């Protein structure tokens, strides 16, 4: 009598393992295609390295060498595409379903509408939108995983697990961060660390990252010099953590409020055109503004931004990220929050260095960015893992990073009144 249940259990485990491989491949292919599309649009829009899409010239370098007229023109086109595209999607398409809702309720994510939503995010970010690109691969992977589990007639609980794992795997694929992607599935979407869930999330994310290597390579997203955890840096991390937490919690409120009041009618078209054209004008003196924030983050990690420029970029990026959400554009907050935290830390760290010099400014940027993401995105474990995988930084920096994240969580309590940040389930922009 006990053999049948055991046989059923083994069959279910085998089926789940096979499905994990399938969703991992789906997420890896989807993430790879989206990143390549992003690069094509960037290179064509700003006219750089057209014959070598994976060449050494970065998006920031391409923007910086483009003419002021081109920057404004590309961002005006971005506004037209964003406003017109999302207006048509909301007006004529089926209602979009977030990944969180698909995982929680099993509601199906509409394939055509979600794919259009994903492509709009990738194209607008490639053209210079200050929002993040990371929601797009998560949504694409989750949508196709949702269709797969339905066709394969996988049980409800396993189906939800696979959809969440696919979303995290999509994140891991585009950033070559399988651990961060798996932790996102577990910490944010599933809110569990049961062994079965851990195995599926890690398996899918690792497979997705390996698949993406075939087209994107395996280099880290950011190039960071060697950074040592000195006593002075540890002391700075303890002091700055609560401050970063307060600012990150306020930034979180600002961006969610902006998104909540975004229009879906004709006003979306007009606001988008005005918003992105203004960003194009601002990019004439500040080319670092364009894109999801990778440029200022990279420059900060390299120590190539002074206090004055960091303060200016910090203030302007906070405004344009919020205004883009308010205008109706969609996108993620991962890289925008990383760059905001890095810029904030550069300003504070620069002042600290006047009293206690010695630590490299890149260390300030990385520690501050990690703590900011932990609070703003409501995912401290995922933020910590992503910081390591995105930069390949030396592991001894885990000590000041951990102290800063812990302090940021405590500092956020002054704003949120909660004991700790809740998992990032506040809106599709999270």
């Amino acid at each position: 009598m006990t053999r049948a249940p055991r046989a059923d259990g083994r069959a279910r485990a085998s089926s789940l393992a096979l499905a994990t491989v399938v969703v991992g491949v789906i997420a890896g292919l989807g993430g790879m295609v989206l990143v390549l599309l992003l690069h094509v649009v960037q290179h064509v829009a700003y006219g750089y390295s057209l014959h070598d899409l994976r060449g050494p010239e970065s998006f920031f370098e391409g923007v910086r060498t483009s003419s002021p007229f081109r920057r404004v023109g590309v961002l005006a086109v971005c506004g037209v595409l964003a406003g017109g595209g999302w207006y048509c999607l909301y007006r004529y398409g089926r209602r979009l379903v977030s990944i969180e809702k698909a995982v929680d309720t099993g509601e199906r994510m509409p394939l055509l509408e979600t794919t259009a939503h994903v492509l709009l995010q990738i194209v607008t970010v490639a053209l210079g939108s200050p929002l993040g690109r990371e929601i797009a691969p998560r949504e694409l992977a989750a949508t196709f995983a949702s269709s797969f589990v339905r066709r394969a007639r996988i049980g409800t609980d396993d189906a939800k697990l696979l959809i969440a794992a696919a979303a995290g795997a999509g994140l891991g694929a585009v950033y070559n961060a399988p651990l961060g992607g798996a932790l996102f599935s577990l910490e944010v979407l599933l809110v569990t660390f049961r062994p079965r869930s851990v195995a599926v999330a890690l398996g899918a994310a690792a497979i997705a990252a390996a698949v993406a290597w075939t087209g994107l390579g395996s280099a880290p997203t950011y190039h960071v010099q060697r950074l040592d955890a000195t006593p002075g840096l540890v002391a700075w991390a303890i002091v700055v953590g609560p401050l970063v937490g307060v600012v990150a919690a306020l930034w979180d409120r600002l961006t969610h409020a902006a998104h909540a009041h975004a229009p879906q009618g004709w006003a979306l078209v007009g606001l988008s055109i005005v918003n992105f054209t203004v960003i194009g004008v601002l990019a004439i003196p500040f080319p670092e503004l364009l894109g999801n924030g990778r440029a200022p983050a990279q420059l900060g990690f390299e120590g190539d931004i002074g206090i004055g420029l960091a303060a200016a970029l910090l203030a302007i990026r906070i405004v344009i990220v919020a205004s883009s959400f308010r205008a109706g554009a969609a996108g993620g907050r991962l890289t925008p929050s990383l760059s905001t935290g890095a810029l904030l830390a550069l300003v504070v760290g620069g002042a600290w260095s006047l009293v206690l010099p010695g630590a490299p400014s890149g260390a300030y940027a990385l520690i501050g960015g990690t703590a900011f993401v932990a609070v703003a995105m409501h995912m401290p474990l995922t933020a910590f893992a992503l910081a390591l995988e995105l930069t390949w930084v030396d592991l001894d920096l885990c000590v000041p990073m951990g102290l800063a994240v812990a302090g940021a969580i405590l500092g956020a309590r002054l704003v949120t009144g909660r004991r700790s940040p809740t998992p990032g389930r506040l809106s599709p922009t999270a």
Side-chain angles (χ1 to χ4, degrees):
M1 295 295 291
T2 60
R3 291 183 179 178
R6 289 181 180 176
D8 289 343
R10 287 195 295 268
R12 182 185 176 191
S14 299
S15 177
L16 183 60
L18 179 60
T20 299
V21 174
V22 173
V23 299
V25 172
I26 290 173
L29 290 174
M32 180 176 65
V33 169
L34 290 179
V35 172
L36 293 176
L37 173 62
L38 178 90
H39 289 177
V40 169
V41 175
Q42 287 176 333
H43 285 245
V44 172
Y46 292 97
Y48 68 99
S49 301
L50 295 176
H51 301 293
D52 188 6
L53 298 181
R54 293 181 56 189
E57 190 173 11
S58 68
F59 173 67
F60 168 62
E61 292 169 333
V63 170
R64 185 175 57 182
T65 57
S66 66
S67 68
F69 177 79
R70 188 163 195 157
R71 297 177 202 175
V72 177
V74 170
L75 267 294
V77 172
C78 180
V80 173
L81 289 176
W86 273 301
Y87 169 77
C88 291
L89 182 60
Y90 298 144
R91 176 68 175 82
Y92 301 107
R94 290 172 291 178
R95 180 178 59 85
L96 294 171
V97 176
S98 69
I99 300 171
E100 292 82 359
K101 193 167 186 179
V103 172
D104 286 341
T105 68
E107 186 173 352
R108 188 172 185 177
M109 301 174 70
L111 181 60
L112 292 178
E113 286 80 359
T114 304
T115 302
H117 185 54
V118 163
L119 293 177
L120 281 170
Q121 291 177 63
I122 289 296
V123 172
T124 53
V125 170
L127 293 176
S129 169
L131 305 184
R133 67 181 185 178
E134 79 279 355
I135 286 184
R138 282 160 32 195
E139 289 183 333
L140 189 68
T143 300
F144 278 91
S146 176
S147 297
F148 164 71
V149 297
R150 285 179 178 274
R151 291 179 180 274
R153 298 181 180 179
I154 294 174
T156 301
D157 291 341
D158 286 349
K160 293 179 180 180
L161 172 57
L162 288 165
I163 293 171
L171 174 66
V174 298
Y175 289 116
N176 189 25
L179 179 58
L183 282 174
F184 176 84
S185 300
L186 298 165
E187 182 180 25
V188 177
L189 297 175
L190 296 169
V191 198
T192 183
F193 286 89
R194 292 181 302 173
R196 186 183 187 88
S197 300
V198 172
V200 173
L202 280 173
I207 292 169
V211 170
W213 287 348
T214 61
L216 305 178
S218 58
T221 300
Y222 297 99
H223 300 284
V224 180
Q225 60 182 324
R226 178 175 176 81
L227 302 172
D228 297 318
T230 63
L233 187 62
V234 171
W236 179 83
I238 295 173
V239 173
V240 81
L243 172 62
V244 171
V246 169
V247 177
L250 293 173
W251 185 88
D252 177 47
R253 285 189 173 184
L254 173 66
T255 53
H256 277 91
H259 174 76
H261 292 88
Q264 293 191 352
W266 277 109
L268 191 159
V269 179
L271 285 176
S272 292
I273 294 174
V274 172
N275 174 73
F276 287 109
T277 302
V278 169
I279 292 174
V281 173
L282 291 171
I284 296 175
F286 299 107
E288 300 90 347
L289 291 175
L290 295 190
N292 60 0
R294 179 176 176 177
Q298 178 63 68
L299 293 172
F301 298 156
E302 293 175 343
D304 289 339
I305 295 184
I307 297 178
L309 179 57
L313 293 176
L314 173 64
I316 299 173
R317 278 203 61 86
I318 288 175
V319 172
I320 63 175
V321 168
S323 69
S324 297
F325 279 129
R326 180 62 180 84
R333 301 188 307 151
L334 176 57
T335 306
S337 61
L338 179 65
S339 63
T340 301
L343 292 169
L344 173 64
L346 286 171
V347 175
V348 178
W352 176 276
S353 295
L354 296 177
V355 180
L356 295 172
S361 59
Y364 294 146
L366 180 57
I367 293 170
T370 303
F372 198 98
V373 172
V375 171
M377 297 290 291
H378 306 267
M379 52 182 202
L381 295 178
T382 305
F384 202 93
L386 285 173
L388 297 177
E389 291 182 303
L390 292 175
T391 62
W392 293 6
V393 72
D394 295 314
L395 293 181
D396 61 353
L397 210 66
C398 288
V399 173
M401 283 171 55
L403 292 171
V405 169
I409 294 172
L410 295 176
R413 291 179 59 184
L414 299 175
V415 177
T416 64
R418 294 192 293 265
R419 290 187 179 181
S420 64
T422 55
R425 292 172 161 240
L426 299 182
S427 86
T429 65

